[in-house]
Amino acid sequence: FQDQADQKLSYKFGSLQNVDKAIRKQAIEHNIEVIKHGIELGSESLTVWLSDGSCFPGQLNFRKAYQNTLESLQEIYAAMPENWKMFLEYKAYEPNFYSTTVGDWGQSYSYVQKLGEKAYTLVDLGHHLPNANIEQIVALLLMEGKLGGFHFNDSKYGDDDLTAGAMKPYQLFLIFNELVEGMDARGMNHATDLGWMIDASHNVKDPLEDLLQSVEGIMMSYAQALSVDRKTLEEAQANNDVVRCQEILQNAFRTDVRALTAEARLRAGGALNPLGLFRSLKVRENLIAERGLKTVATGL
């Protein structure tokens, strides 16, 4: 394997943006290989997130980096099946700290506009500068028909990948408030017209338990957003009644919807208390034991 690794070209100075055409070609071919695997697995989308950027002023020609990235994405886009979508994820910083080639929603939007109707912007809640108004970003991308979906998580300082709703539940509610209003305005299907994904896990938690908690946080925010009195809110907005607008949103956010989300799970054939059931059935322990047996049987 070491010989193969040595033959691979380094992404130290970027992949799809790289000044070396051979490195760009390697990154393009890797994405196309992922598409082929996705077809076999029944997938219908490709998410592209790039760590490309620069750490120091003068290191990178911004215009050429953009153009190289766009040309690379165009080749990947052309390789997708007709029924697929491309989700282009952005991030403000890390691992590059001076510039990121797809650094914010505007840059992602610029790319996907040029790529075509199958390309959309993906919003990861942790991929913004501090205090960014994510709900406004969501509303505008939705209005333009270029919101592809989400990586749900939460953060205190940056891209912390914490459990959705663990730190900023009101922000998560406000995002869903814009989603419900915007999707209804466009006649969109809440369940299928966007990509709903979770990108959250922490090494002090069982990853599956973390996912269960994230799903619960997402469901609660969605249910609270559905409870907003839209007609009254629109009237208050039209009259510039700022106090009333705040009251309407906060009343919805402060509504305890846990019984509603539990009932929704039961109707869908799920558990009343997913986390409790996960622990009582010892799912983690059984999976570890099962994998251990497979390891013994295969020698891998």
Side-chain angles (χ1 to χ4, degrees):
F1 292 110
Q2 187 59 46
D3 289 341
Q4 288 181 335
D6 290 340
Q7 291 172 7
K8 289 186 177 179
L9 300 169
S10 171
Y11 292 144
K12 181 177 181 178
F13 297 110
S15 56
L16 298 184
Q17 75 167 27
N18 205 291
V19 295
D20 187 332
K21 188 174 182 180
I23 295 177
R24 298 200 302 272
K25 187 64 177 176
Q26 176 180 274
I28 292 166
E29 290 174 351
H30 176 80
N31 277 271
I32 292 174
E33 181 183 358
V34 169
I35 292 170
K36 292 176 180 177
H37 289 307
I39 293 170
E40 294 177 3
L41 293 169
S43 178
E44 293 184 354
S45 65
L46 174 72
T47 297
V48 179
W49 172 74
L50 301 170
S51 63
D52 292 12
S54 63
C55 287
F56 296 96
Q59 174 187 333
L60 190 68
N61 183 304
F62 296 143
R63 177 176 53 81
K64 290 180 180 179
Y66 181 97
Q67 291 170 336
N68 285 341
T69 302
L70 177 60
E71 290 172 5
S72 299
L73 288 171
Q74 286 170 332
E75 288 194 48
I76 298 167
Y77 183 87
M80 294 195 313
E82 284 300 314
N83 64 322
W84 274 45
K85 295 178 179 179
M86 176 185 284
F87 299 144
L88 184 58
E89 187 175 358
Y90 58 90
K91 189 174 183 179
Y93 64 93
E94 191 189 38
N96 286 287
F97 289 91
Y98 174 64
S99 73
T100 307
T101 301
V102 190
D104 58 30
W105 72 277
Q107 293 174 54
S108 173
Y109 178 74
S110 174
Y111 284 110
V112 299
Q113 281 285 80
K114 291 178 173 66
L115 287 170
E117 62 181 14
K118 297 187 297 181
Y120 299 85
T121 292
L122 180 73
V123 177
D124 183 305
L125 302 191
H127 284 195
H128 303 83
L129 293 173
N131 301 316
N133 193 326
I134 302 174
E135 52 268 32
Q136 184 178 22
I137 294 169
V138 167
L140 296 177
L141 285 171
L142 193 56
M143 179 183 71
E144 294 297 318
K146 280 298 183 181
L147 178 64
F150 292 88
H151 280 177
F152 285 111
N153 48 47
D154 210 336
S155 68
K156 176 69 173 177
Y157 299 105
D159 188 23
D160 304 341
D161 282 344
L162 301 178
T163 313
M167 290 287 174
K168 303 169 186 172
Y170 192 52
Q171 180 188 66
L172 187 58
F173 159 76
L174 292 174
I175 290 169
F176 269 97
N177 176 60
E178 296 300 333
L179 279 169
V180 169
E181 192 278 335
M183 293 184 79
D184 286 348
R186 292 180 61 86
M188 297 173 68
N189 186 305
H190 288 203
T192 61
D193 284 351
L194 294 178
W196 306 104
M197 293 168 274
I198 295 173
D199 183 6
S201 184
H202 202 280
N203 60 8
V204 301
K205 279 185 177 181
D206 179 308
L208 293 177
E209 292 189 347
D210 184 75
L211 285 172
L212 290 172
Q213 289 182 316
S214 284
V215 170
E216 179 69 8
I218 292 166
M219 288 181 66
M220 288 177 61
S221 293
Y222 178 47
Q224 289 166 334
L226 289 173
S227 74
V228 172
D229 186 341
R230 296 283 158 200
K231 183 178 180 181
T232 305
L233 178 59
E234 289 175 4
E235 292 173 353
Q237 290 170 337
N239 292 317
N240 294 316
D241 190 341
V242 181
V243 171
R244 184 68 178 132
C245 291
Q246 177 181 324
E247 287 295 298
I248 292 166
L249 287 185
Q250 289 189 339
N251 285 341
F253 173 67
R254 290 165 178 162
T255 300
D256 189 347
V257 296
R258 286 176 293 181
L260 291 175
T261 58
E263 182 180 353
R265 281 196 300 273
L266 287 176
R267 289 184 178 182
L272 184 65
N273 180 4
L275 184 58
L277 182 64
F278 176 87
R279 290 189 169 188
S280 66
L281 293 178
K282 299 184 181 301
V283 175
R284 179 178 178 81
E285 292 85 345
N286 290 333
L287 286 173
I288 291 172
E290 181 183 341
R291 289 169 183 167
L293 291 172
K294 288 182 179 179
T295 300
V296 171
T298 61
L300 299 175

